[in-house]
Amino acid sequence: MVASELVTRREITGAVLGCTCAMAVLPLKPVFATAAALVSDWNGFAKPPRWQSFNLITGDTIVLPSYVAGISVDAILDSGSAASIVSTSLAARLNLASTEQVMIRGIGGRASVQLARNVELTLAGQPRRLPFVVIADLEAVSSAIGRPVDVVLGEDMLVERCIALEFASSRISIGDSGTFSGGRGWQSISVAHGSNRELLVVASVAGLPDTPMLFDLGSSTALMLDRAYVEEHRLLDGVRQSTAAIGGVDGTRLAAAFIANEVKLGGFPVRSVPTLAPSSWASKSALGSIGFPLISQFDVVLDVSGGKIWLRPARRGLPMLEDHSGFGLAPGGNELSIVHVAANSPAASDGWRAGDRILAINGHRIDASYIRGEHWRWRFMPPGTLVILQDQAGRMRELRLVDYF
């Protein structure tokens, strides 16, 4: 999901997915530091890939058709979730027994969840019977992206498969593990599992040595770093900063928001990466997390069982959205609730507070079409754009968008 727009699925199912997601995330607008050989072919596959389309919702959420026990549903693809998740409502419809309750841990904290055993899920037309799935309430996730979502397809749907993703064309292909050999312009990096089955790669930040990072397609934060790591290497010295609020099962934590001058992934440098450093970090395996905005600057082939992820700078990166308002917003019915106001932002300067509500934007009332259409893009207009917001008291308040850090 896009930036500060939403309390995202990572906040809602934080420990289940193995990572939290920010209420006020700063989207990526990267520039590759060096030119790379950009080719459009996928000849590294033993057989031509069979592509299927997916929907990209609010710029950073992959939604694709799936099946659960033969029932057609919309599903989110999320490599940051060690286990796939089925909504409580769908589990009830399918009479999935959930008699087991277990405690799991992620960087967002600990959570108690229920499990259902021996469930068949389908990814891009390829079925798989999983030994178990997590049963969780996904109503808030559905509300956040403006459509019903009954399934989160996790890392357990990626094993023994070779998953190709071309984000600019919104398409996915699935083959067998070991069937991709790379080629011109491609670079492979090793992928391993952390203590909670999360996917781990290594990346370099600001010229520092490679460090373990979560590889998380389900996170709308381009880069998240352990605050202790940031302080040890003085990454905040001399840079403009703001704030964000990150929600998880243990409550809300503040995070420093800043621009990392460079991140290297697979040897490919990407400059000016918006980054969050939360006040606490629970992962025992990684010092950071690489999310969708950064990953989607590449063509990607995931071969988890083969221990590799292949990357190639995309010919056309996805449009990179940058918030210029400073709001952290959560949709609810016919209004947007303000859950955080970023420091040094236009929202802070104009006196907005957490707990305030927005009822209309530029004369358009907030309703179900806010997410489904293009109305949510208002905060990403160029700096200097004037926006008229109606608050819960009916007042019309002007907000001038600014590049605030």
Side-chain angles (χ1 to χ4, degrees):
M1 281 144 239
V2 176
S4 5
E5 186 65 33
L6 307 169
V7 180
T8 68
R9 61 190 174 280
R10 184 65 77 243
E11 183 271 335
I12 298 160
T13 55
V16 175
L17 303 180
C19 178
T20 56
C21 196
M23 296 177 182
V25 178
L26 302 169
L28 177 65
K29 190 175 183 179
V31 176
F32 281 103
T34 59
L38 303 181
V39 293
S40 59
D41 67 85
W42 292 75
N43 291 338
F45 279 102
K47 297 179 180 179
R50 299 178 62 182
W51 295 105
Q52 298 188 40
S53 297
F54 61 76
N55 291 316
L56 193 62
I57 307 300
T58 60
D60 59 12
T61 304
I62 296 175
V63 176
L64 66 170
S66 182
Y67 289 87
V68 182
I71 301 294
S72 178
V73 296
D74 276 345
I76 290 174
L77 181 61
D78 189 348
S79 65
S81 175
S84 293
I85 305 171
V86 173
S87 70
T88 51
S89 58
L90 180 60
R93 286 171 54 197
L94 296 175
N95 294 317
L96 295 181
S98 55
T99 56
E100 296 179 71
Q101 193 155 345
V102 298
M103 186 69 68
I104 60 176
R105 179 190 293 273
I107 68 170
R110 294 169 60 89
S112 178
V113 300
Q114 291 185 317
L115 304 181
R117 297 283 178 179
N118 195 31
V119 179
E120 184 178 273
L121 301 184
T122 299
L123 170 59
Q126 302 292 319
R128 168 165 293 169
R129 187 165 294 277
L130 299 175
F132 70 89
V133 296
V134 172
I135 305 299
D137 186 355
L138 298 180
E139 286 297 322
V141 179
S142 298
S143 174
I145 67 171
R147 61 195 298 168
V149 171
D150 281 308
V151 173
V152 175
L153 298 169
E155 184 272 343
D156 51 2
M157 292 294 289
L158 305 181
V159 296
E160 299 178 0
R161 288 170 167 166
C162 203
I163 313 293
L165 290 162
E166 189 174 74
F167 299 101
S169 301
S170 296
R171 62 181 188 168
I172 184 173
S173 176
I174 297 181
D176 295 330
S177 176
T179 57
F180 185 74
S181 59
R184 183 182 175 216
W186 289 96
Q187 178 64 48
S188 68
I189 57 176
S190 297
V191 60
H193 286 98
S195 58
N196 294 312
R197 293 289 301 171
E198 64 268 46
L199 295 183
L200 298 179
V201 297
V202 295
S204 168
V205 178
L208 295 169
D210 283 347
T211 191
M213 301 272 185
L214 305 178
F215 188 87
D216 191 357
L217 281 168
S219 174
S220 59
T221 308
L223 179 66
M224 199 181 302
L225 294 174
D226 180 359
R227 184 62 177 261
Y229 176 85
V230 169
E231 292 176 350
E232 176 186 357
H233 296 288
R234 307 182 68 171
L235 296 180
L236 295 177
D237 288 4
V239 302
R240 288 195 299 170
Q241 302 175 41
S242 186
T243 58
I246 302 176
V249 294
D250 290 341
T252 300
R253 300 167 293 155
L254 287 180
F258 65 102
I259 300 294
N261 62 358
E262 183 181 86
V263 176
K264 280 189 177 181
L265 182 61
F268 297 115
V270 183
R271 291 194 179 120
S272 302
V273 180
T275 305
L276 296 183
S279 56
S280 61
W281 186 263
S283 174
K284 304 300 183 183
S285 304
L287 293 175
S289 174
I290 292 172
F292 185 94
L294 180 51
I295 296 169
S296 65
Q297 300 311 294
F298 300 89
D299 295 330
V300 177
V301 177
L302 294 87
D303 190 345
V304 174
S305 296
K308 290 183 178 181
I309 295 176
W310 296 85
L311 301 172
R312 176 179 66 184
R315 182 182 293 274
R316 292 184 298 113
L318 294 180
M320 292 296 107
L321 305 175
E322 184 173 352
D323 172 61
H324 295 127
S325 72
F327 286 118
L329 302 173
N334 296 322
E335 62 186 24
L336 300 173
S337 296
I338 299 173
V339 296
H340 181 72
V341 176
N344 308 316
S345 69
S349 298
D350 289 349
W352 290 89
R353 299 174 180 271
D356 287 344
R357 304 188 307 279
I358 296 174
L359 306 183
I361 301 164
N362 290 334
H364 297 282
R365 303 288 295 184
I366 303 300
D367 56 24
S369 67
Y370 179 78
I371 297 297
R372 294 173 186 167
E374 299 295 310
H375 194 27
W376 55 270
R377 293 182 179 272
W378 66 272
R379 295 176 307 105
F380 310 111
M381 298 297 289
T385 300
L386 183 66
V387 181
I388 309 298
L389 306 175
Q390 181 181 352
D391 67 13
Q392 69 274 14
R395 294 174 296 179
M396 299 299 178
R397 302 171 63 173
E398 294 185 352
L399 185 80
R400 183 79 61 178
L401 301 184
V402 173
D403 188 3
Y404 58 93
F405 80 102

